[in-house]
Amino acid sequence: MSAVEHVSYAVSDGIATVTLNRPEARNGYTVTMADELAAAFDEADRDRSVRVAVLTGAGKDFCVGADLSAGGLDLSADNAETWHEPAGRCSMRIFAMNKPVIAAIRGAAVGAGSTIILPADFRLAATDARFGFVFSRRGLYPEGASTWFLPRLVGLGRAMDWMVSGRVFDAPEALAAGMVHALHEPDEVLDKAYELARELIRTTAPVSVAVIRQMLYRAAQTDSPFPVQRLDSRLIAGSAANPDTVEGIMSFLQRRDPQWTGKVPDDLPDHLPWRTDQG
């Protein structure tokens, strides 16, 4: 799906680049963009050659929020019980990913531009980035399950501040709160995202990463550590027959880069409790 209407998609050297591609509209978010983003992450997850996905925006802004002139605010749900709002179509697909996602953000990242990046594993921001959960100032409600993701990143107090006030805040504030992991110059942030992606590809086992990123989200929601430790035990018990475990240990002992053979999604353990979870 390299050529679509509002999103571009490309794969090179194990990295899938998903780009919001409406620079003339400052990447204003539309329903078309939402569906194309979900399709792009579907493709990246299915493609066995892809190890990491990078999410970015064309031009000087990541996303200025819903493009009201181009159908960005779609409220025409026929059935509110089954309808999914546009930002959530992207954020929930990122949440379900088996592969790490790195968001590279510059300029404005407001509304949907702030909510869709929250489930990414890494958020790298340019020094000129600006964020805002501005829904209270539009008479709207937060989207993309952001009221679930944001407090887990920055704490309830800071999430309450940002969401209730709806104020726009700068990159240093986002960094200090833990919403973003690092700041870079605007012309460097995408290169830094690729640098991180290459490091993940070189050093981490894809099947291990797929399991770990889901466990971090899901295990924290259990009422006790006992079911988590039972899953730990079952996973580790199977490690003796896991070629990636053998390779990880041997490459460490031999002081060389590992050569992983496990593939995602093919080699994910069958007994993962979320494999049948459809949300």
Side-chain angles (χ1 to χ4, degrees):
M1 55 163 296
S2 57
V4 286
E5 191 174 349
H6 291 172
V7 171
S8 65
Y9 179 85
V11 176
S12 178
D13 298 326
I15 303 170
T17 301
V18 181
T19 305
L20 282 61
N21 196 20
R22 301 185 69 225
E24 75 287 349
R26 302 177 69 195
N27 295 320
Y29 201 78
T30 66
V31 175
T32 298
M33 180 180 284
D35 292 337
E36 290 178 355
L37 284 167
F41 285 109
D42 274 341
E43 178 66 21
D45 230 5
R46 286 195 304 266
D47 187 341
R48 291 161 182 80
S49 73
V50 170
R51 288 285 315 277
V52 179
V54 171
L55 172 64
T56 191
K60 294 184 177 181
D61 292 294
F62 177 72
C63 175
V64 295
D67 187 339
L68 303 183
S69 66
L73 187 61
D74 176 15
L75 301 179
S76 57
D78 294 328
N79 186 341
E81 296 300 318
T82 59
W83 179 76
H84 293 279
E85 46 79 23
R89 300 176 201 180
C90 175
S91 66
M92 298 310 293
R93 186 60 190 85
I94 294 175
F95 170 80
M97 287 288 287
N98 288 309
K99 299 168 183 179
V101 177
I102 303 169
I105 308 135
R106 62 178 297 182
V110 177
S114 283
T115 60
I116 66 172
I117 62 175
L118 298 180
D121 301 76
F122 302 91
R123 286 164 297 281
L124 309 185
T127 53
D128 68 348
R130 302 181 311 283
F131 303 92
F133 301 91
V134 297
F135 308 101
S136 65
R137 299 191 178 200
R138 306 290 183 270
L140 292 168
Y141 307 102
E143 61 192 4
S146 54
T147 54
W148 191 90
F149 289 109
L150 187 61
R152 286 164 173 77
L153 296 176
V154 303
L156 181 60
R158 185 56 59 93
M160 194 76 72
D161 168 14
W162 288 346
M163 285 199 160
V164 171
S165 73
R167 66 182 176 86
V168 174
F169 52 96
D170 62 17
E173 184 173 348
L175 177 67
M179 180 176 162
V180 301
H181 295 84
L183 301 186
H184 303 284
E185 291 303 313
D187 292 337
E188 296 177 357
V189 66
L190 184 56
D191 288 339
K192 292 296 184 180
Y194 287 137
E195 183 180 309
L196 174 57
R198 289 190 292 269
E199 180 183 355
L200 293 173
I201 291 170
R202 182 176 63 84
T203 60
T204 66
V207 175
S208 293
V209 167
V211 174
I212 289 167
R213 76 178 306 276
Q214 288 295 322
M215 286 185 73
L216 282 168
Y217 270 128
R218 297 169 188 268
Q221 311 313 312
T222 60
D223 293 330
S224 95
F226 291 106
V228 181
Q229 197 271 332
R230 291 310 311 150
L231 178 58
D232 293 346
S233 298
R234 190 168 182 183
L235 288 166
I236 293 169
S239 295
N242 183 352
D244 277 352
T245 302
V246 175
E247 173 62 10
I249 294 170
M250 292 304 297
S251 63
F252 172 76
L253 294 174
Q254 296 170 2
R255 299 184 179 181
R256 59 173 174 80
D257 287 344
Q259 301 297 315
W260 310 114
T261 57
K263 301 293 184 183
V264 174
D266 308 61
D267 298 318
L268 290 173
D270 292 332
H271 56 78
L272 295 174
W274 56 83
R275 290 204 68 176
T276 57
D277 181 7
Q278 301 300 312

